[in-house]
Amino acid sequence: MIRGDSDAEARRRRPPARPAPRLTLDTPVTYLKGVGPARATSLAKLGITLAGDLLRHVPHRYEDATTVTPIAQAAVGADVTVLGRVIAKGVLPTRKGLRVFQAVIQDASGMLEIAWPGQPFLDRTINKDDWLLCTGPVRFFHGRRLQPREFVNLGPEEEGTGEGRVLAVYPSTEGLSVRLLRAMVQQHLDALLPLVQEPLPAWLIDAADVPPLPDALRMVHRPTSVAEAMRGRSRLAFEELLCVQLLHRKANQVAREDRGGRAFANKRDLTSKLRAALPYTLTHAQVRAIREIVHDMESPRRMHRLLQGDVGAGKTVVAVFSALLAMENGAQVALMAPTELLAEQHARSVANLLAPLGIAPVLLTGRLGAKEKRAALARLAGDGPVLAIGTHALLQSDVAFANLGLVIIDEQHRFGVEQRAILGSKGVAPDVLLMSATPIPRSLALTLYGDLDVSVLDERPPGRQPVTTVVRSESTRTKVFEFANAQLDAGRQVYVVYPLIETSEKIDLKAATVMYEALVAGALAGRRVALLHGRLPSDERDVIMRNFRDGALDVLVATTVIEVGIDVGNATVMIIEHPERFGLSQLHQLRGRVGRGAEQSYCILLGDVGAEAAERLGMFAATEDGFEIARADLQLRGMGDLFGAKQHGLPAFRIADPLRDEALNETARTLADRVLRDDPDLEQPLYAGLRQQLTVGYAKALEYFRVG
Ligand code: ADP
Ligand code: MG
């Protein structure tokens, strides 16, 4: 073969040079300089597929001279952010066989050792002369030493944050360091910014007092001060909040048009009888909630109400009042709970409450035998007023109600939108009462559930003893279990709780099992102890729970499966292992399992935790106010987890935080009203940009808004 031929061949096979497409915000990132297939894949993980997405990928924090501590001033015991150039580095073995990557960094004021135990591989990515931004506690270890909780490698070029320079730190991902991301944004920023069009009308921008979009994007990516970056961010957050507010308004409107329902008459027949028969007086909060519910049920509009109240606030009796109101109008009621145990518990306590009225609820769970189930179904199919209490079993297609007028859903966040809708569809536009123990500040609840009215039980029934909560170190373990044994000797019961998180489920489960075996052989020898975790078949789990409830077990060693609604008044001690691994709201739910009887109860957080966790747990120990705890938890963890945004079908906030941005959210609420008053369907050209934003950005969210 002749050489020239093969050259020609190669030329033929090479695709003709594509004319570079004109850059728009919709240009795929793969067309951008410096973005190959590998980087494109990493970018996609961050939700960045188009050039415009790169602009919308906003730094999650900034560092400047005011947030960075000069190295010389990084004191032992403090938690600091420092910035310095690597002047030495290496991997050191320790006596325990752990390999530690170490670097010494230097700024104008001094030098500091940084250590990453167990991460020798960092030696490959961190080089001499790289600038590192590190955040973490400074400890004493042959001198000062910082162990980073987080760090960013800025590469060799950076000149630090002197002279008012601000460093933008971007959310990053595997294969795409903060440094690369920042370089990528900076490289394309000047070409992309002029393409950005302002979607909002000028009057809105003025009224909200935020910068126009192109300015805002420049401010967040290339700020001259942190304050300026925050101003840019406020614009992006505002836009997000405004869109969500508009969606909620719209959803409300749809729901309202669609919310013809039944008007019940407040006959004060059964409800008055219950009030007279109650063994206690209702709290003011309960009275208020009942009044709000009665008002909804009397109205011809469908009720969509969320009854929110901390664990033990007394939601059940409020639900029973609403059930009786429906029943005295001849209607049927379904109360659905997420687990069999909870459903049974409800059935039992409701049966007690209603016994003086001669009413017995119908229990419907998966555990019923064929004959029992037939009997239950027959009562629902009959025309008389019935209160059915059950689990998901209520959703089955063979469950038919003759006259379902009210649906009550306990622990509503544990059900999906569709499940709630199925139950609702078993009646003709029945009223809906949702119940939740997740305390959400009211303003936030309004944002999250635009379509729901909210009643809050913000008052505890009197006479409940506060739970004594303490944080105890490992060294007191023996004493802690001596205490537990003393309580057991006095006839009480005890929970020992282990964390179990999905990502390390196997390891955690093993740890819990090992610990359980150690307890049975040691500290709790001779006690009747069972291990309860989510991997057990649900009927086994139920047997264990029933035995514990009936006093046939003394101690329950459990993972977080006991979190929901278990009511054993005789359990007075809860020992929580590795408390630092739980969110505060989760700890609060767990603690709610004790202190339910007349005896003084104790919640003991056991383990050696870092300074930061100790502070968090100390705060938790000092209060039983679920709202305060939720607030703290939100600030620490952000929105995502707490509300299970996906389960709720809520549009996620990428930039805004309705809690932290409370004032901005208020502005957005007001302005959303003004926009819709001005142009209910956003038809004017003035609102074309906003309309586009909504239909493109929130298409999926729109589907989820119907409650029931
Ligand atoms: P939750 O809101 O967690 O569902 P419950 O409805 O289970 O709470 O009520 C917790 C306990 O408080 C129950 O034992 C209930 O009987 C009791 N309770 C409810 N309301 C009152 C009240 N007003 N006064 C005294 N005890 C009450
Ligand atoms: Mg409850």
Side-chain angles (χ1 to χ4, degrees):
M1 206 184 261
I2 309 170
R3 217 167 165 254
D5 269 349
S6 94
D7 271 2
E9 177 77 358
R11 255 198 308 279
R12 212 169 324 127
R13 264 189 272 122
R14 199 183 309 139
R18 270 176 304 188
R22 198 169 49 86
L23 182 67
T24 71
L25 295 177
D26 293 330
T27 304
V29 282
T30 42
Y31 286 99
L32 294 180
K33 217 184 204 154
V35 182
R39 278 189 192 164
T41 310
S42 298
L43 282 169
K45 272 193 218 144
L46 294 169
I48 304 171
T49 54
L50 306 177
D53 298 337
L54 200 56
L55 279 182
R56 291 274 177 174
H57 190 66
V58 168
H60 62 303
R61 76 189 164 83
Y62 297 90
E63 304 285 357
D64 75 350
T66 62
T67 54
V68 170
T69 304
I71 282 176
Q73 287 166 30
V76 171
D79 206 289
V80 298
T81 298
V82 292
L83 176 72
R85 191 170 55 87
V86 177
I87 54 170
K89 63 155 193 165
V91 175
L92 302 180
T94 65
R95 250 176 304 162
K96 286 181 191 157
L98 190 70
R99 288 169 16 111
V100 182
F101 175 67
Q102 285 193 4
V104 176
I105 64 168
Q106 184 177 41
D107 70 3
S109 73
M111 292 185 284
L112 182 66
E113 182 181 300
I114 318 282
W116 288 266
Q119 301 186 49
F121 49 84
L122 287 177
D123 197 28
R124 272 180 275 137
T125 49
I126 295 178
N127 299 312
K128 214 159 153 260
D129 288 333
D130 280 352
W131 283 82
L132 299 183
L133 184 68
C134 304
T135 302
V138 183
R139 302 243 160 80
F140 189 82
F141 188 83
H142 309 304
R144 290 180 311 154
R145 168 172 168 172
L146 187 145
Q147 201 156 309
R149 204 172 31 252
E150 190 191 6
F151 79 97
V152 176
N153 185 349
L154 302 167
E157 257 80 44
E158 301 287 344
E159 281 146 33
T161 54
E163 294 144 42
R165 251 182 64 90
V166 182
L167 284 178
V169 184
Y170 291 86
S172 54
T173 183
E174 222 182 299
L176 204 61
S177 67
V178 178
R179 176 178 154 194
L180 262 171
L181 262 169
R182 164 135 32 67
M184 218 179 269
V185 174
Q186 292 305 324
Q187 182 185 354
H188 298 291
L189 193 60
D190 293 320
L192 290 173
L193 278 181
L195 305 175
V196 174
Q197 297 209 349
E198 175 57 63
L200 302 182
W203 75 262
L204 249 180
I205 298 174
D206 283 349
D209 188 24
V210 292
L213 186 56
D215 295 352
L217 288 170
R218 201 272 304 152
M219 289 172 172
V220 296
H221 290 296
R222 203 180 277 156
T224 56
S225 68
V226 173
E228 193 190 62
M230 289 303 120
R231 190 156 159 70
R233 178 196 168 278
S234 76
R235 153 62 206 243
L236 304 179
F238 169 74
E239 195 176 304
E240 215 169 59
L241 291 165
L242 179 74
C243 284
V244 171
Q245 292 293 349
L246 285 170
L247 285 175
H248 281 312
R249 292 293 184 289
K250 222 48 207 163
N252 259 334
Q253 212 177 311
V254 172
R256 223 165 263 140
E257 284 157 10
D258 202 22
R259 260 171 77 168
R262 174 175 344 185
F264 291 113
N266 185 8
K267 303 191 171 163
R268 297 193 174 79
D269 171 18
L270 296 175
T271 50
S272 298
K273 281 188 190 147
L274 175 61
R275 205 179 284 255
L278 274 185
Y280 45 75
T281 322
L282 294 172
T283 64
H284 295 292
Q286 284 171 323
V287 170
R288 190 178 57 226
I290 291 171
R291 201 187 310 130
E292 287 164 349
I293 289 168
V294 168
H295 183 262
D296 285 353
M297 292 181 69
E298 283 178 325
S299 128
R301 264 185 76 208
R302 251 184 115 177
M303 171 165 76
H304 275 177
R305 187 168 285 276
L306 173 67
L307 175 62
Q308 218 189 289
D310 207 350
V311 231
K315 294 185 287 294
T316 316
V317 71
V318 174
V320 171
F321 268 97
S322 69
L324 291 180
L325 177 55
M327 288 164 77
E328 66 188 20
N329 282 270
Q332 299 175 317
V333 181
L335 191 167
M336 182 163 72
T339 66
E340 300 206 328
L341 220 73
L342 261 185
E344 283 174 23
Q345 205 168 277
H346 275 314
R348 214 175 25 249
S349 58
V350 171
N352 286 339
L353 277 175
L354 296 185
L357 283 66
I359 297 175
V362 177
L363 180 66
L364 193 78
T365 69
R367 282 166 49 87
L368 293 192
K371 207 169 126 199
E372 292 165 291
K373 184 170 177 186
R374 257 200 312 280
L377 291 184
R379 285 195 54 194
L380 306 190
D383 211 16
V386 173
L387 170 54
I389 299 178
T391 55
H392 298 81
L394 287 167
L395 303 177
Q396 287 163 1
S397 54
D398 59 347
V399 178
F401 290 86
N403 183 13
L404 183 62
L406 170 66
V407 164
I408 303 169
I409 300 182
D410 195 17
E411 304 288 342
Q412 62 93 15
H413 59 281
R414 309 247 308 187
F415 294 94
V417 183
E418 295 80 7
Q419 291 172 316
R420 302 196 304 242
I422 290 175
L423 191 54
S425 71
K426 290 182 185 278
V428 180
D431 281 343
V432 177
L433 180 65
L434 306 176
M435 303 201 283
S436 172
T438 306
I440 310 172
R442 198 181 189 108
S443 63
L444 184 53
L446 285 173
T447 306
L448 295 176
Y449 307 98
D451 189 31
L452 281 188
D453 300 306
V454 183
S455 293
V456 183
L457 297 185
D458 52 4
E459 183 184 354
R460 272 164 192 277
R464 195 85 47 84
Q465 292 205 45
V467 176
T468 302
T469 306
V470 292
V471 187
R472 289 285 178 261
S473 68
E474 244 347 280
S475 62
T476 66
R477 176 172 290 273
T478 313
K479 273 207 183 129
V480 166
F481 278 92
E482 272 167 21
F483 175 75
N485 271 306
Q487 289 277 309
L488 289 168
D489 286 340
R492 307 280 96 79
Q493 287 163 287
V494 172
Y495 295 105
V496 182
V497 180
Y498 281 85
L500 196 153
I501 53 172
E502 246 171 74
T503 45
S504 56
E505 194 177 314
K506 265 198 192 137
I507 303 168
D508 286 345
L509 196 54
K510 181 135 176 280
T513 311
V514 168
M515 195 51 103
Y516 161 74
E517 281 160 5
L519 284 175
V520 172
L524 297 174
R527 305 292 182 183
R528 296 166 302 171
V529 189
L531 176 64
L532 182 74
H533 57 77
R535 279 299 171 91
L536 292 175
S538 69
D539 47 343
E540 259 176 65
R541 250 179 348 201
D542 282 355
V543 169
I544 292 174
M545 274 314 310
R546 274 188 200 94
N547 285 339
F548 187 70
R549 182 190 69 202
D550 300 339
L553 284 169
D554 303 315
V555 181
L556 209 54
V557 178
T559 60
T560 37
V561 288
I562 57 160
E563 202 180 319
V564 172
I566 296 312
D567 194 1
V568 180
N570 190 45
T572 55
V573 180
M574 168 160 294
I575 299 170
I576 302 180
E577 303 265 3
H578 299 291
E580 77 283 359
R581 291 176 57 186
F582 292 93
L584 293 186
S585 293
Q586 207 177 11
L587 286 175
H588 185 60
Q589 294 279 315
L590 285 169
R591 179 168 59 183
R593 301 305 111 216
V594 292
R596 299 179 83 87
E599 307 295 332
Q600 171 65 49
S601 288
Y602 306 86
C603 177
I604 304 169
L605 310 175
L606 181 59
D608 290 334
V609 300
E612 207 184 344
E615 191 181 323
R616 213 159 44 88
L617 297 177
M619 177 262 151
F620 169 76
T623 182
E624 281 197 77
D625 181 337
F627 279 76
E628 197 178 313
I629 290 167
R631 202 168 252 279
D633 212 14
L634 262 174
Q635 265 148 16
L636 290 165
R637 292 197 300 157
M639 295 261 307
D641 271 20
L642 191 55
F643 305 114
K646 276 199 201 105
Q647 281 188 52
H648 286 284
L650 295 168
F653 293 97
R654 286 183 56 168
I655 293 161
D657 172 344
L659 192 63
R660 213 165 14 134
D661 297 321
E662 211 167 344
L664 202 57
N665 193 25
E666 219 28 64
T667 309
R669 280 165 61 83
T670 317
L671 293 179
D673 279 340
R674 263 173 68 186
V675 168
L676 291 181
R677 236 180 292 135
D678 188 28
D679 184 359
D681 295 311
L682 306 181
E683 285 166 340
Q684 300 173 30
L686 184 66
Y687 295 117
L690 188 53
R691 191 191 166 87
Q692 160 93 357
Q693 200 86 334
L694 277 170
T695 46
V696 174
Y698 295 87
K700 283 209 194 77
L702 279 166
E703 300 166 16
Y704 283 105
F705 277 104
R706 299 189 183 212
V707 173

